[in-house]
Amino acid sequence: MITMKDIVREGHPALREVSQEVQLPLSAEDRQTLESMLDFLKNSQNPETAEKYELRSGVGLAAPQLGIKKRMFAMHLTDDREQEYSYGLINPKIVSHSVELTHLEGGEGCLSVDREVPGSVPRYARITIEAATLEEEKVKLRLRGLPAIVFQHELDHLNGVMFYDRIEDYEDELKKELPKL
Ligand code: K2U
Ligand code: NI
């Protein structure tokens, strides 16, 4: 079971590297890892489980956040139309996107960042994505709203990008990562 001690924090090299494509068909190990990432998100959104295991609530988790530099992440959330998005996505890519941008009111956070970093994070308002799922099927999804924002936040993790890299109007010194431990 993944808990917060398994999630690497700012300064860990995996958060700043480009992850590698995942070999298909999925190995038993990669499948197990991605399924446990999805379980973490579900556990983190269950008040009793989250309290018992001291989990921070998350709607997305990328393999590099476990120190695993592979192009896969899990997302688990419902959008404002009560549509559930619960996926383990492998080799995800954005195939097209709107010109229009959006941002999460109040800014973004990150399970690998133990501090508040205020500021709006610009994201594409609408995206069309392709990926393989845990069921080893290719999926093509059109996302908007929170699912689109979560997808872009997690895809950034696969490319070594942190959400605060994208906060334009923010003094540089506060964007710098904590000193390497
Ligand atoms: O990747 C992560 O660190 C998980 C983040 C993903 C995320 C943060 C901000 C905006 C979109 C995605 C966690 O889910 S942070 C907790 C959270 C919970 C609900 C809504 C937004 C963020
Ligand atoms: Ni994050």
Side-chain angles (χ1 to χ4, degrees):
M1 170 186 177
I2 293 176
T3 62
M4 295 309 295
K5 68 174 174 23
D6 301 305
I7 296 177
V8 304
R9 309 302 156 93
E10 287 179 288
H12 190 289
L15 294 175
R16 285 306 192 183
E17 293 178 24
V18 177
S19 295
Q20 298 301 310
E21 292 252 317
V22 175
Q23 284 291 328
L24 291 174
L26 273 181
S27 69
E29 183 189 8
D30 286 345
R31 174 178 297 282
Q32 171 57 42
T33 300
L34 191 50
E35 284 174 351
S36 61
M37 289 161 62
L38 196 49
D39 287 343
F40 169 83
L41 297 177
K42 294 173 184 173
N43 292 337
S44 79
Q45 294 174 28
N46 176 306
E48 291 78 39
T49 314
E51 184 180 1
K52 179 175 178 184
Y53 294 100
E54 297 180 328
L55 307 179
R56 266 185 69 186
S57 173
V59 291
L61 184 68
Q65 293 181 274
L66 303 175
I68 300 170
K69 292 178 280 190
K70 293 189 175 184
R71 300 189 76 80
M72 57 187 194
F73 63 71
M75 55 194 286
H76 185 74
L77 67 141
T78 49
D79 68 7
D80 53 6
R81 302 174 183 168
E82 293 311 307
Q83 165 83 36
E84 185 178 68
Y85 293 82
S86 187
Y87 291 99
L89 295 176
I90 300 140
N91 303 328
K93 51 176 71 73
I94 294 174
V95 294
S96 67
H97 61 77
S98 60
V99 172
E100 183 190 357
L101 301 178
T102 187
H103 63 273
L104 199 58
E105 279 310 305
E108 296 189 7
C110 182
L111 296 174
S112 297
V113 178
D114 294 329
R115 59 193 172 108
E116 292 286 315
V117 183
S120 292
V121 182
R123 301 289 186 186
Y124 298 123
R126 291 174 301 286
I127 55 176
T128 300
I129 69 97
E130 284 182 359
T133 65
L134 270 168
E135 294 71 35
E136 310 235 23
E137 290 157 3
K138 276 198 80 60
V139 68
K140 183 170 186 171
L141 298 172
R142 285 167 186 72
L143 302 177
R144 65 180 60 220
L146 183 59
I149 292 171
V150 174
F151 185 98
Q152 292 170 79
H153 179 113
E154 301 311 327
L155 186 63
D156 271 354
H157 277 307
L158 306 186
N159 294 321
V161 175
M162 301 294 280
F163 73 91
Y164 44 71
D165 299 344
R166 294 185 180 280
I167 299 174
E168 291 117 343
D169 55 359
Y170 200 63
E171 298 80 41
D172 279 351
E173 66 274 6
L174 286 186
K175 277 193 228 173
K176 290 188 184 68
E177 292 177 339
L178 294 170
K180 303 239 181 309
L181 301 178

